[in-house]
Amino acid sequence: MTNASYRFSARTGDMDREQIHAWLSREAYWATGRPRALQDAAIDASTNFGMFDSASGRQVAYARVVTDSVTFAWLCDVFVDPKVRGHGVGVALMENVCALLDDLNLKRVVLSTGDAHGLYEKFGFEPLAQPEKWMARTAATPET
């Protein structure tokens, strides 16, 4: 979905790296304090998506996907500028991202969210059927 107010892009070159870093490192609970170099490396190693204000060209939302493009994808770093929340931007972003992922016929697309379950449920995401089978290896948090 793209309407007169916003346009969607899946071109990495369109992404406003400075804005994305500002959003994620300052406002996203999962990425607070993330260094710019780390964010840029994540962008470079991922498939990136954005929504842009049609009039100004300003980026208003972002998402990235880490995938092998054959069997699996992880949707992450989804962020909508607080100034445009409630205007359908997140829904439009997800419609476009999911349409592109659907074209890949992946067996599984996963994500983790602390507060947007309702949004993702609209696009077929549901709790893991067998969460006891999933494990994670996380990096130790350095002492400050």
Side-chain angles (χ1 to χ4, degrees):
M1 174 198 147
T2 301
N3 62 34
S5 299
Y6 303 100
R7 73 171 176 84
F8 172 78
S9 176
R11 291 178 20 122
T12 297
D14 289 345
M15 302 303 128
D16 181 341
R17 290 171 181 251
E18 185 175 336
Q19 180 62 72
I20 292 164
H21 177 255
W23 283 332
L24 296 178
S25 68
R26 296 179 195 150
E27 300 181 51
Y29 65 85
W30 65 91
T32 302
R34 182 182 289 171
R36 172 70 189 266
L38 189 72
Q39 184 60 51
D40 284 345
I43 289 170
D44 291 339
S46 303
T47 305
N48 300 278
F49 307 96
M51 294 296 294
F52 298 82
D53 182 280
S54 294
S56 69
R58 183 178 70 86
Q59 187 161 1
V60 296
Y62 175 71
R64 72 182 179 96
V65 171
V66 179
T67 184
D68 63 10
S69 299
V70 180
T71 64
F72 180 83
W74 170 42
L75 173 63
C76 55
D77 286 346
V78 179
F79 192 90
V80 177
D81 187 325
K83 296 173 190 156
V84 300
R85 289 181 188 163
H87 294 106
V89 173
V91 171
L93 177 65
M94 287 303 302
E95 284 175 347
N96 283 284
V97 169
C98 287
L100 291 170
L101 291 173
D102 288 348
D103 288 346
L104 297 175
N105 294 311
L106 302 169
K107 180 177 180 177
R108 181 170 291 116
V109 179
V110 298
L111 62 81
S112 175
T113 184
D115 58 4
H117 297 79
L119 171 65
Y120 299 118
E121 287 170 353
K122 292 178 185 178
F123 298 97
F125 287 91
E126 55 191 31
L128 294 172
Q130 297 176 309
E132 67 279 3
K133 287 187 172 187
W134 288 83
M135 297 178 73
R137 182 175 182 221
T138 55
T141 305
E143 305 248 351
T144 53

